[in-house]
Amino acid sequence: MSRIGKKPVPLPSDVTVTLSGQKIEVKGPKATKTFTATDDVTITVEDNEISVTPRGKSKRARQQWGMTRTVIANMVHGARDVFKKELEIRGVGYRAQMAGNVLKLNLGLSHDVDFPIPDGVTVTAPKQTELVVEGTDKQLVGQVAANIRDWRRPEPYKGKGIRYKGEYIFQKEGKKK
C-alpha cells in the first residue's frame, strides 16, 4: 500500500486555511473550497503544512486517511490554479461548438446533442474537433469530461468518437473475407 496520507500537504503563500473541528476551508486567489472530513481522521495545520492522521487502525480509518489527504491537496491546488481536461473528437462530420452555456455536439446521431454546462466549469471549443474543460474542482472537471465522452466513446475499429487528448485506443482488425 502506498500510504499517500503520510505526506503533508504544503500550503503556498497565497492560500489560507481555516480549520474548525472536522471542517476545513481553503481560500485562494481562484476559489474558496470547504470540506468536512469524517470522524475517522484528524486534520492539523502547522508550519504551512496540512497533515492528516487516522484515529484508529480500522480499515475505514486507513481508507479515509488517504482519501482526505488527496481531497485537501486537490482543494489547495484548485484554490490557486485550474484543473484542465482536453478532449478530441474524431470522425467524419463529428464536431462541437459552444452556444452560450450549452455545448452543441454533432456526433452522427439522428439528432444534435445539447449538453448543458454545470456551474463551476468552463468548456471551450478552440477548434470544432477539440474541447477544453476547466475548473477549480478536480472531481467536477473530470466528471463533466467523462459525461461528454460518454455521448460517443471511441470505438476500436476506426477510432471514431470522443477521446481524451493523448489517449491510445487499441485498433482491432476488421472482418476478413
Side-chain angles (χ1 to χ4, degrees):
M1 257 182 243
S2 71
R3 296 284 179 255
I4 191 73
K6 286 183 180 180
K7 279 180 72 175
V9 179
L11 278 177
S13 60
D14 56 348
V15 175
T16 59
V17 173
T18 28
L19 183 67
S20 59
Q22 292 297 94
K23 189 172 186 175
I24 186 167
E25 183 178 17
V26 179
K27 289 182 184 177
K30 296 271 185 191
T32 300
K33 305 256 176 224
T34 59
F35 174 70
T36 305
T38 61
D39 291 331
D40 296 316
V41 294
T42 306
I43 303 170
T44 56
V45 179
E46 49 194 37
D47 300 332
N48 287 333
E49 287 185 338
I50 304 170
S51 51
V52 181
T53 53
R55 286 196 179 159
K57 300 228 182 248
S58 68
K59 183 175 182 179
R60 178 170 164 76
R62 287 179 291 144
Q63 289 170 342
Q64 294 296 319
W65 181 25
M67 190 270 311
T68 303
R69 188 258 179 217
T70 304
V71 168
I72 291 172
N74 288 339
M75 286 172 44
V76 169
H77 184 300
R80 189 159 197 239
D81 298 318
V82 293
F83 291 98
K84 181 197 254 186
K85 286 271 189 185
E86 295 181 9
L87 301 165
E88 54 187 28
I89 302 171
R90 288 198 187 164
V92 177
Y94 289 13
R95 60 183 169 273
Q97 61 186 14
M98 288 299 299
N101 202 22
V102 175
L103 176 65
K104 294 193 174 293
L105 298 167
N106 190 339
L107 300 172
L109 301 171
S110 62
H111 60 286
D112 288 349
V113 175
D114 290 342
F115 185 82
I117 306 301
D119 293 337
V121 175
T122 58
V123 177
T124 55
K127 295 181 187 172
Q128 287 185 339
T129 59
E130 288 181 9
L131 293 171
V132 179
V133 182
E134 292 178 321
T136 57
D137 187 354
K138 185 174 186 175
Q139 192 275 331
L140 186 61
V141 168
Q143 188 63 53
V144 168
N147 290 345
I148 292 170
R149 184 178 183 265
D150 278 345
W151 277 103
R152 185 66 89 177
R153 287 179 175 252
E155 53 97 11
Y157 295 101
K158 291 184 179 176
K160 293 169 30 172
I162 302 174
R163 64 177 74 191
Y164 296 113
K165 192 166 198 155
E167 179 182 10
Y168 176 74
I169 305 298
F170 181 75
Q171 296 283 312
K172 291 183 178 178
E173 191 174 337
K175 261 201 259 183
K176 294 180 187 173
K177 280 200 169 193

